[in-house]
């Protein structure tokens, strides 16, 4: 009977090690992204164009000396679901965006990619930072540029509705219908947007109850939060304004989208 090897826990890097790694990645990303109009705080980069926020944000592994980056796309004129957790002034985190993906999955959705800077792996911190930044500047920016278009958002929203269909909600879930209605308004199809808004409205009270519960859980888990948290927003009323031709077009113009124009559906 052979003796088994002891199980070792992954080494958790020190805060100083993580800070040094994130500083190196921030510098490598800044060289590539700042000339393109991205602004940043640390490893959180945001560029806003025509009502769409494009986000690049590095992420440190919970265990081990590894880094990756998340990419996000957010519709700045579609206000966030959660208002009791303040977003950074710079813009949303990648995982809070309407859409987000890890940069390693952009070209191959079957796997993921992390950049290690362990000395024993033969890769220095500078090499790891540059490798991650190159992937962001190549396939990452290509994904952001391609998927920020309204046609790509429409396809994404349609897939979300399909996946959300169930016996209880055969037409789709509230949040998925909300997104699809908003994207149709963005594309100038206010008739279809209004119909989807009305369909979503039949599920609003159920969704509102879930958000109220989420806010209560946040309050219990964060006793030091402000005494008066922002209330659960009336998402349905906001959606009605977006999908109504006059108020919706005005909201889009304020966000820099310009006059919506009807595009053919794919």
């Amino acid at each position: 009977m052979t003796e088994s090897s002891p199980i070792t826990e992954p080494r958790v890097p020190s805060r100083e090690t993580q800070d040094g790694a994130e500083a190196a990645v921030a510098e490598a990303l800044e060289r590539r992204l700042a000339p393109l109009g991205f602004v940043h705080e640390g490893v959180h980069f945001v560029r806003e164009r025509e009502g769409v926020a494009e986000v690049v944000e590095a992420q440190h592994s919970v265990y081990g000396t590894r880094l990756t980056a998340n990419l996000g796309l957010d519709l700045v004129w579609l206000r966030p679901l959660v208002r009791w957790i303040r977003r950074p002034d710079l813009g949303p985190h990648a995982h809070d965006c309407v859409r987000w993906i890890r940069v390693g999955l952009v070209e191959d959705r079957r796997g993921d990619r992390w950049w290690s800077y362990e000395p024993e792996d033969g890769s220095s911190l500078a090499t790891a930072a540059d490798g991650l930044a190159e992937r962001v500047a190549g396939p990452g920016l290509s994904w952001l540029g391609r998927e920020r278009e309204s046609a790509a958002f429409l396809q994404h929203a349609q897939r979300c509705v399909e996946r959300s269909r169930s016996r209880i909600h055969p037409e789709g879930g509230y949040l998925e219908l909300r997104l699809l209605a908003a994207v149709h308004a963005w594309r100038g199809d206010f008739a279809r947007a209004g119909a989807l808004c009305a369909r979503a409205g039949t599920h609003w009270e159920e969704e509102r109850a879930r958000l109220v519960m989420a806010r209560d859980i946040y309050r219990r888990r964060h006793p030091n939060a402000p005494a008066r948290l922002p209330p659960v927003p009336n998402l349905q009323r906001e959606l009605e304004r977006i999908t109504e031709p006059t108020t919706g077009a005005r909201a889009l113009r304020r966000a820099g989208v310009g006059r919506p124009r009807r595009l053919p559906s794919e």
Side-chain angles (χ1 to χ4, degrees):
M1 182 175 180
T2 59
E3 183 178 353
S4 60
S5 301
I7 298 175
T8 58
E9 292 291 331
R11 182 174 64 83
V12 180
S14 67
R15 184 67 258 178
E16 292 76 12
T17 299
Q18 289 189 0
D19 289 345
E22 290 177 6
V25 170
E27 181 181 352
L29 287 172
E30 183 181 30
R31 289 198 303 270
R32 294 160 175 84
L33 300 183
L36 302 177
F38 283 85
V39 294
H40 78 105
E41 293 178 0
V43 293
H44 181 201
F45 289 75
V46 179
R47 175 175 68 179
E48 187 177 314
R49 297 187 293 162
E50 299 178 339
V52 179
E54 303 168 48
V55 181
V56 175
E57 190 168 19
Q59 175 186 341
H60 218 114
S61 175
V62 177
Y63 296 109
T65 46
R66 302 188 307 157
L67 286 155
T68 190
N70 299 319
L71 311 175
L73 288 168
D74 204 49
L75 303 176
V76 299
W77 42 270
L78 184 64
R79 298 187 66 193
L81 304 176
V82 175
R83 311 284 166 83
W84 53 89
I85 302 176
R86 183 182 175 185
R87 284 187 167 189
D89 293 336
L90 181 68
H93 291 294
H95 60 267
D96 290 327
C97 290
V98 173
R99 304 183 60 185
W100 75 277
I101 188 174
R102 288 235 178 93
V103 69
L105 299 173
V106 166
E107 293 182 308
D108 184 1
R109 300 301 293 267
R110 297 168 299 178
D112 199 354
R113 176 75 188 274
W114 292 77
W115 281 260
S116 172
Y117 55 92
E118 288 277 15
E120 54 265 38
D121 290 345
S123 57
S124 68
L125 175 54
T127 300
D130 282 337
L132 173 56
E134 282 299 324
R135 180 62 64 94
V136 167
L141 288 183
S142 294
W143 184 88
L144 289 172
R146 180 175 67 252
E147 298 298 323
R148 73 180 307 280
E149 299 297 328
S150 69
F153 262 93
L154 178 62
Q155 292 178 353
H156 170 73
Q158 289 171 333
R159 288 193 299 268
C160 289
V161 169
E162 288 299 320
R163 288 195 296 265
S164 71
R165 295 183 191 274
S166 66
R167 181 179 58 81
I168 300 175
H169 299 128
E171 294 183 329
Y174 178 80
L175 298 180
E176 292 78 14
L177 289 169
R178 170 181 179 261
L179 176 60
L180 184 56
V183 172
H184 275 298
W186 178 19
R187 292 169 61 81
D189 190 348
F190 287 102
R192 189 172 300 179
L196 286 162
C197 175
R199 192 181 305 171
T202 63
H203 305 318
W204 165 235
E205 286 305 320
E206 178 185 355
E207 186 60 38
R208 180 182 177 280
R210 277 198 289 265
L211 288 171
V212 168
M213 184 182 302
R215 182 180 179 276
D216 290 343
I217 292 172
Y218 177 83
R219 162 66 73 192
R220 291 196 299 271
R221 292 181 177 176
H222 299 83
N224 295 325
R228 296 185 63 181
L229 292 176
V232 170
N234 191 327
L235 300 180
Q236 184 60 21
R237 185 179 300 166
E238 293 177 357
L239 185 61
E240 289 166 359
R241 291 171 180 160
I242 291 172
T243 56
E244 195 278 326
T246 301
T247 55
R250 189 181 302 131
L252 289 166
R253 287 196 299 272
R254 283 199 301 266
V257 177
R259 188 177 182 84
R261 57 190 179 90
R262 176 71 180 273
L263 298 177
S265 298
E266 285 72 24

